[in-house]
């Protein structure tokens, strides 16, 4: 399968690639593509790409995922499931399956790599490391294919259209992350150039530690004050010594005020050098406090303004050369300076702007974040830094920094429209991927797929739509609305009521019914739906909800449509193509979950029906009561292999059997039926003892080549005339790898007849010796045979389960046999066993006369034995 999803990008001029050499030559000849790949290869987006590769492996169920960039070679930039050292490795294009996806510019799917004529001869394929491959090209915003996102499985597997669509969305997200990293690096370069331009203005920094008195200057400030690194002693006295005497008091007061208020400091003063030359210095700073709120240090910057006072040529030259836009405003918000970059970004010449009031020249800034931030800077005396969008005619996003000064406000700004666009695209892509991951997790983790599907509207609103209704088809083939949600809490009651009445009023030609019938998405116009609905409550409700449009997305199973997810959109808003693709992906995942639930239900019903059909009623001897129970596993996939049996042998002895076929589901149930029938035939024909019955069954299994393994315990109850007079019964039993029986004595004590290790399992060695054990039982004793589903739990071992069973039997010893078994099941598995549970129990009567038994409700019929010679 190649190109399962429509590709709107530029097709490869040579048509579909048929071999790796052609793909490699096409890629090496595409110089713009190689240049784009090299540009992205230099950028660092590794963390984001690692997340995307990990998500690709998880969503597509593949152990290996890889992101590669392609120029003259293939370079792995991110990988999941590959050996250490793979990232950064280079591979020739002609030895990589990724070259086909890149050259074809469309997803490339290989369900069986060894059988594929294009990649079948590659070394990893021939070695068995690659059994199935799916790759999606990374196409940048300029239309260049720069790399490939791929997933690999070591064994062959089919790739669905949903798999292809999911990988393509992830590939788009990977390209977005690469472009965002490239743009971020470019913007950081711009910032660096900006900083270098500021350095060119000769700005220096100072740090005065008020606790130690140490004053630290950088080299520029030391130079401004006429010191050298050797002559500057790092004290405030050194600062005061060089201040002009006429400025000393004013500057000292400004510093003390800043320290007292832990606020800003600003001063312009004269510095007198040792040779008598006078320089002008502009300084600004701020006092910082410690954890107690006390002033701790004064930090700031200073620059020499001597030349500026003589003529502003130098500053103007620096500002003009800056790669960022710059303008200054006076206290009446009039433009006083505009550099060349600002002219370009603002689309206005400096002659037009100088002297104009900002709010007049750019009226859209009034009552916006621009005005709020500028006025806050002037009011507080603190710089501001923010991003903002200015509408037409500029229609762009800008990053701005504004510094207040005694003269007004200075503003530096960069246009970041492209960065915001890519960043928004990346955020939307991340949100869509997070939504898919959440939907997958909820559908996979839910015990009831239909309930999880009903919860879908709460997941997709408001991420993909304003409101949503989910419809499923019930077993009788009728559509039924099962879930709904609206972004506006006030409208949720209306949507709930609309979902309750709309299907009865909706004609067969409605978009929803067409989506159910065709299995294809159907766009839904609000006016059309209203026109199809007859006058009544449904029409009134949809008019009140007033959607602009909607789309009906089928919930598709493997061979049928199982429901519809309808998304509705408000007026003035249209869904994006990528949002609709994500919504259909959500719908497909829900449809597959519903289909799996349907198939599991069928499988469970089949296995349980087969199981129960093979479990017959026990015999009814006079001197004992026999009771049986069977509970299927709570999970459909685990129904299958447990059985019980009870019958009379030709000599009159009563025989009980418990067994468990290794495995689950219908195959195990069928094997169980075969073994049960064989054992019953051997025992009822030959009158053999338990050990011989198991040996004969093992031999029959080998002769018939059943190829199954099973455990079993056979117990036969025997009694001579003398034993009958004495009121005792012998139980002769043999065990093929099964849990041993438990005996509840008349006094309520519980005995385990042997260690858990029985003879070898059935089906392993037909020549294995089968040994018998004999125990003498008093009247009133109860024998319980059971399968491991009764005591086995995921959170506890078998020893703990046996302890719980023995304790329960001690507490229930005096209860009637039927009630005892019901209560044992309730206490140990609470009605929902993790595995099948089969029980067969016999209770020897305390008296010789026959004792009737009444079968209880919801039980496999339990009956009393009728053989006077055998309890």
């Amino acid at each position: 399968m190649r190109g399962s999803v429509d590709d709107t990008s530029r097709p490869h001029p040579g048509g579909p690639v048929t071999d790796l050499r052609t793909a490699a030559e096409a890629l090496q000849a595409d110089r713009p593509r190689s240049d784009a790949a090299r540009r992205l290869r230099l950028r660092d987006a590794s963390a984001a790409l690692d997340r995307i590769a990990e998500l690709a492996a998880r969503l597509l169920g593949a152990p290996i995922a890889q992101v590669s960039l392609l120029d003259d070679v293939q370079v792995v930039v991110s990988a999941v499931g590959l050996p250490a050292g793979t990232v950064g490795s280079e591979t020739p294009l002609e030895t990589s399956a990724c070259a086909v996806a890149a050259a074809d510019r469309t997803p490339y799917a290989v369900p069986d790599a060894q059988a594929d004529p294009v990649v079948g001869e590659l070394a990893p394929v021939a070695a068995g490391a690659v059994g199935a491959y799916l790759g999606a090209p990374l196409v940048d915003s300029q239309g260049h294919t720069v790399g490939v996102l791929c997933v690999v499985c070591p064994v062959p597997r089919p790739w669905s259209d949903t798999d292809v669509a999911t990988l393509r969305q992830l590939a788009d997200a990977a390209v977005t992350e690469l472009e965002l990293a490239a743009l971020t690096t470019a913007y950081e370069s711009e910032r660096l150039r900006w900083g270098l331009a500021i350095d060119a203005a000769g700005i220096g920094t100072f740090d005065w530690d008020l606790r130690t008195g140490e004053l630290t200057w950088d080299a520029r400030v030391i130079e401004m004050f006429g010191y050298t690194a050797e002559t500057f002693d790092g004290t405030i006295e050194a600062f005061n010594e060089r201040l002009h005497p006429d400025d000393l008091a004013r500057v000292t007061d400004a510093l003390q005020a800043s320290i007292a208020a832990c606020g800003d400091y600003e001063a312009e003063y004269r510095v007198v050098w040792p040779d008598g030359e006078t320089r002008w210095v502009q300084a600004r700073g701020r006092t910082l406090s410690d954890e107690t709120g006390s002033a701790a240090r004064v930090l700031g910057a200073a620059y020499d303004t001597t030349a500026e006072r003589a003529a502003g040529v130098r500053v103007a030259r620096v500002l003009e050369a800056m790669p960022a836009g710059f303008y200054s405003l006076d206290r009446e918000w009039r433009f006083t300076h505009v550099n060349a970059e600002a002219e370009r970004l603002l689309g206005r010449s400096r002659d037009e702007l100088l002297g104009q009031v900002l709010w007049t020249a750019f009226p859209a800034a009034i009552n916006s974040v621009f005005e709020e931030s500028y006025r806050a800077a002037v009011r507080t005396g603190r710089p501001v830094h923010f991003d903002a969008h200015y509408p037409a005619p500029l229609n762009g996003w800008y990053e701005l920094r504004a510094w207040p000064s005694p003269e007004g406000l200075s503003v530096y700004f960069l246009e970041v429209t492209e960065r915001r666009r890519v960043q928004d695209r990346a955020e939307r892509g991340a949100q869509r991927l997070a939504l898919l991951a959440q939907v997958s997790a909820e559908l996979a983790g839910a015990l009831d797929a239909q309930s999880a599907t009903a919860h879908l509207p709460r997941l997709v609103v408001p991420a993909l739509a304003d409101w949503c209704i989910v419809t499923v088809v019930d077993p009788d083939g009728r559509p039924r609305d099962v879930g709904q949600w609206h972004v506006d809490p006030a409208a949720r009651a209306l949507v709930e009521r609309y979902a309750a009445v709309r299907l009865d009023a909706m004609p067969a030609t409605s978009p929803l019914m067409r989506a159910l019938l065709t299995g294809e998405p159907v766009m839904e116009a609000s006016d059309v739906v209203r026109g199809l609905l007859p006058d009544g409550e449904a029409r009134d409700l949809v008019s009140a909800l007033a959607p602009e449009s909607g789309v009906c997305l089928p919930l598709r199973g493997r061979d049928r449509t199982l429901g519809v997810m309808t998304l509705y959109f408000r007026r003035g808003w249209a869904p994006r193509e990528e949002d609709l693709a994500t919504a259909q992906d959500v719908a497909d995942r829900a449809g597959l979950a519903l289909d799996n639930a349907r198939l599991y239900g069928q499988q469970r019903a089949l296995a349980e029906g087969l199981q129960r059909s093979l479990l017959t009623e026990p015999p009814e001897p006079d001197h004992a009561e026999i009771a049986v129970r069977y509970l299927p596993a709570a999970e459909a996939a685990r129904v299958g292999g447990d059985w019980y049996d009870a019958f009379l042998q030709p000599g009159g002895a009563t025989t009980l059997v418990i067994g468990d076929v290794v495995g689950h589901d219908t195959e195990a149930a069928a094997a169980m039926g075969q073994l049960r029938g064989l054992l019953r035939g051997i025992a009822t024909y030959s009158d053999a003892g338990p050990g011989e019955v198991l040996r004969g069954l093992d031999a029959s299994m080998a002769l018939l080549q059943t190829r199954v393994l099973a455990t079993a315990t056979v117990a036969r109850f025997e009694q001579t005339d003398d034993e009958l007079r004495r009121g005792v019964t012998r139980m002769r039993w043999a065990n093929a790898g099964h849990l041993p029986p438990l005996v509840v004595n008349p006094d309520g004590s519980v005995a385990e007849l042997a260690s858990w290790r029985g003879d070898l399992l059935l089906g392993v060695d037909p020549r294995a010796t089968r040994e018998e054990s004999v125990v003498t039982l008093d009247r009133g004793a109860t024998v319980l045979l059971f399968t491991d589903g009764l005591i086995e739990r995921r959170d506890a071992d078998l020893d703990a389960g046996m302890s719980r069973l023995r304790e329960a039997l001690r507490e229930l010893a005096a209860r009637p046999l039927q009630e005892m078994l019901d209560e044992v099941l309730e206490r140990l598995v609470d009605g929902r066993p993790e595995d099948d549970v089969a029980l067969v129990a016999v209770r020897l009567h305390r008296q010789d006369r026959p004792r009737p038994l009444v079968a209880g409700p919801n039980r496999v019929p339990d009956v009393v034995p009728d053989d006077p010679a055998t309890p």
Side-chain angles (χ1 to χ4, degrees):
M1 178 180 68
R2 186 183 299 177
S4 300
V5 180
D6 290 341
D7 193 344
T8 58
S9 60
R10 174 174 54 86
H12 187 272
V17 172
T18 58
D19 62 86
L20 288 173
R21 182 174 298 278
T22 302
E25 290 173 353
L27 290 172
Q28 288 168 341
D30 189 356
R31 303 314 304 173
R33 181 207 58 77
S34 294
D35 293 341
R38 291 189 187 97
R39 174 176 60 84
L40 294 178
R41 182 175 169 184
L42 297 175
R43 312 307 180 192
D44 182 16
S46 58
L49 295 180
D50 288 345
R51 291 193 300 271
I52 290 173
E54 181 180 356
L55 191 56
R58 181 151 49 92
L59 291 178
L60 275 72
I64 298 172
Q66 173 181 298
V67 180
S68 301
L69 294 180
L70 310 178
D71 42 55
D72 294 332
V73 294
Q74 173 182 310
V75 181
V76 179
V77 295
S78 182
V80 171
L82 291 175
T86 300
V87 175
S89 62
E90 298 183 355
T91 304
L93 295 177
E94 59 270 17
T95 64
S96 170
C98 293
V100 179
D104 266 353
R105 304 176 60 79
T106 188
Y108 178 46
V110 181
D112 187 346
Q114 291 189 346
D116 188 85
V118 178
V119 302
E121 298 301 321
L122 290 178
V125 176
V130 177
Y133 170 93
L134 176 61
L138 307 182
V139 182
D140 68 10
S141 58
Q142 303 301 316
H144 301 306
T145 304
V146 297
V148 172
L149 168 64
C150 69
V151 291
V152 174
C153 290
V155 296
R157 59 165 282 185
W159 302 104
S160 67
D161 288 350
T162 298
D163 294 335
V164 175
T166 298
L167 191 67
R168 182 167 181 175
Q169 288 191 20
L170 291 168
D172 291 342
V175 172
T176 299
E177 293 294 346
L178 285 166
E179 291 186 329
L180 180 58
L183 281 172
T184 300
T185 303
Y187 281 118
E188 289 302 321
S189 297
E190 292 295 322
R191 288 174 181 272
L192 177 60
R193 290 171 57 199
W194 185 1
L196 292 173
I198 295 298
D199 290 342
I203 298 174
T205 62
F206 60 87
D207 181 356
W208 184 19
D209 190 326
L210 300 176
R211 293 166 297 191
T212 64
E214 181 181 4
L215 178 60
T216 303
W217 286 348
D218 69 5
R220 284 196 184 89
V221 178
I222 291 175
E223 182 182 358
M224 288 178 203
F225 279 77
Y227 285 108
T228 64
E230 292 75 23
T231 59
F232 176 60
D233 63 4
T235 64
I236 193 65
E237 287 76 16
F239 169 73
N240 292 336
E241 181 180 339
R242 293 293 166 89
L243 278 181
H244 193 285
D246 294 344
D247 297 336
L248 178 59
R250 175 174 56 83
V251 173
T252 301
D253 290 342
L255 275 171
Q256 292 303 324
S258 170
I259 293 169
C262 287
D264 291 342
Y265 155 71
E266 181 177 359
E268 187 173 21
Y269 46 78
R270 288 164 290 180
V271 174
V272 181
W273 285 7
D275 61 3
E277 182 181 354
T278 300
R279 311 290 296 178
W280 281 91
V281 174
Q282 174 78 41
R284 295 190 62 202
R286 179 175 299 171
T287 300
L288 304 180
S289 60
D290 59 17
E291 61 273 8
T292 67
S294 301
R297 64 198 316 159
V298 179
L299 297 176
Y303 63 95
D304 191 320
T305 60
T306 305
E308 181 182 339
R309 282 188 161 260
V313 177
R314 183 181 179 194
V315 174
R317 186 169 59 247
V318 171
L319 293 176
E320 199 66 20
M322 285 179 62
F326 170 82
Y327 59 81
S328 59
L329 306 168
D330 64 17
R331 290 189 171 274
E332 283 72 42
W333 305 103
R334 291 190 298 263
F335 285 95
T336 59
H337 187 92
V338 179
N339 75 350
E341 183 66 7
E343 287 184 292
R344 186 186 70 81
L345 294 176
L346 298 177
R348 310 275 286 275
S349 71
R350 66 187 73 188
D351 292 338
E352 293 179 82
L353 293 175
L354 292 177
Q356 271 209 68
V357 174
L358 171 66
W359 320 121
T360 303
F362 297 96
I366 299 174
N367 296 325
S368 72
V369 65
F370 292 95
E371 182 178 16
E372 178 184 344
S373 301
Y374 287 179
R375 292 191 183 277
V378 172
R379 182 177 65 253
T380 63
R382 296 178 180 176
V384 293
H385 176 206
F386 61 98
D387 284 11
H389 179 266
Y390 192 91
L394 300 184
N395 194 26
W397 278 90
Y398 300 89
E399 178 186 336
L400 301 101
R401 294 175 181 268
W403 284 270
S405 68
E407 292 78 21
L409 193 69
S410 298
V411 180
Y412 297 87
F413 64 105
L414 296 167
E415 184 177 8
V416 293
T417 305
E418 180 65 12
R419 186 190 71 187
R420 288 293 296 242
R421 185 189 67 79
V422 175
Q423 190 172 357
D424 290 346
R425 179 182 166 193
E427 290 175 356
R428 290 196 305 270
Q431 290 169 356
R432 290 193 298 269
L433 293 176
L435 173 61
L436 287 177
Q438 184 179 4
V439 168
S440 297
E442 294 214 11
L443 291 175
L447 295 176
D448 182 354
Q450 184 160 311
S451 297
T453 303
H455 187 63
L456 281 182
R458 295 174 183 249
L459 300 179
V460 302
V461 172
L464 301 177
D466 293 294
W467 53 293
C468 171
I469 299 178
V470 169
T471 309
V472 299
V473 178
D474 65 19
D476 297 328
R478 293 190 299 267
R480 183 165 56 90
D481 288 338
V482 297
Q484 66 284 319
W485 197 247
H486 199 293
V487 67
D488 182 3
R492 288 170 190 164
L494 291 176
V495 173
E496 183 177 1
R497 183 58 188 164
Y498 178 57
V501 301
R502 68 169 187 154
L503 292 179
D504 291 336
M506 199 167 283
T509 56
S510 67
L512 184 144
M513 297 303 179
R514 296 207 311 273
L516 276 175
L517 289 173
T518 65
E520 297 296 331
V522 179
M523 295 302 297
E524 176 179 307
S526 175
D527 293 340
V528 171
V529 173
R530 268 196 299 272
L532 290 173
L533 292 172
D535 291 339
E537 186 178 8
R539 185 171 184 173
D540 294 341
L541 286 167
V542 77
S543 298
L545 290 164
E548 173 74 13
S549 62
V551 59
C552 299
L553 301 171
L555 308 182
R556 296 178 289 217
R558 292 170 178 81
D559 57 355
R560 67 192 68 194
T561 301
L562 301 169
V564 172
M565 181 174 70
T566 307
L567 304 179
Y568 296 92
F569 312 104
R570 63 184 180 273
R571 294 190 181 277
W573 188 81
R576 302 181 184 90
E577 182 180 349
E578 58 266 30
D579 289 338
L580 289 179
T582 301
Q584 184 60 68
D585 199 349
V586 170
D588 287 342
R589 291 169 190 268
L592 190 60
L594 287 172
D595 204 20
N596 286 339
R598 175 181 65 85
L599 294 175
Y600 278 134
Q602 292 175 352
Q603 183 185 39
R604 179 186 178 88
L606 175 62
E608 187 176 339
L610 177 61
Q611 182 88 324
R612 289 191 180 278
S613 69
L614 296 172
L615 300 176
T616 57
E617 298 179 3
E620 303 180 1
D622 283 345
H623 294 83
E625 177 184 359
I626 301 176
V628 295
R629 294 288 186 274
Y630 171 73
L631 278 180
E635 299 178 17
R638 296 191 61 81
V639 174
D642 294 20
W643 91 89
Y644 63 80
D645 203 356
F647 50 84
L648 300 179
Q649 290 188 275
T654 299
T655 298
L656 270 58
V657 181
I658 197 79
D660 186 0
V661 173
V662 175
H664 298 94
D665 217 346
T666 51
E667 291 187 9
M672 175 272 289
Q674 186 178 17
L675 297 188
R676 184 177 182 273
L678 282 172
L679 187 150
R680 176 177 270 226
I682 293 169
T684 56
Y685 174 78
S686 65
D687 206 20
E692 180 60 22
V693 168
L694 290 177
R695 191 199 66 77
L697 177 59
D698 223 355
S700 297
M701 291 169 63
L703 182 64
L704 297 174
Q705 297 183 341
T706 57
R707 292 188 176 89
V708 296
L709 298 175
T711 66
T713 295
V714 178
R716 186 167 76 172
F717 296 85
E718 306 170 344
Q719 193 176 52
T720 64
D721 291 340
D722 178 62
E723 288 169 335
L724 176 63
R725 286 190 297 273
R726 290 190 291 114
V728 297
T729 300
R730 278 176 294 110
M731 184 180 78
R732 184 183 304 277
W733 62 287
N735 184 355
H738 201 83
L739 296 170
L742 291 179
V743 175
V744 183
N745 296 311
D747 62 2
S749 61
V750 178
E752 186 177 331
L753 296 183
S755 68
W756 290 23
R757 293 187 178 88
D759 289 342
L760 202 62
L761 274 70
L762 297 168
V764 177
D765 182 4
R767 298 166 299 179
T769 302
R770 300 293 176 185
E771 298 185 2
E772 294 183 347
S773 299
V774 179
V775 62
T776 301
L777 305 173
D778 293 329
R779 287 178 178 173
T782 300
V783 179
L784 175 67
L785 282 71
F786 55 95
T787 57
D788 58 6
L790 181 66
I791 62 173
E792 190 173 34
R793 287 186 180 177
R794 292 187 179 122
D795 58 352
D797 58 20
L798 289 176
D799 289 327
M802 283 294 288
S803 297
R804 287 188 287 110
L805 176 57
R806 286 193 292 267
E807 181 64 26
L809 291 175
R810 279 193 290 270
E811 295 179 8
L812 301 170
R815 302 278 185 95
L817 185 60
Q818 304 287 352
E819 184 179 333
M820 171 191 280
L821 294 192
D822 287 338
E823 189 64 26
V824 163
L825 288 173
E826 182 65 27
R827 291 190 184 186
L828 269 72
V829 299
D830 194 24
R832 292 186 61 85
E834 296 175 1
D835 197 356
D836 289 8
V837 176
L839 307 177
V840 57
V842 60
R843 176 170 289 176
L844 307 177
H845 291 330
R846 294 179 182 271
Q847 58 230 18
D848 294 338
R849 59 184 178 83
R851 178 180 177 184
L853 172 72
V854 178
N858 301 321
R859 297 172 180 160
V860 177
D862 307 316
V863 290
V864 179
D866 60 1
D867 184 354
T870 307

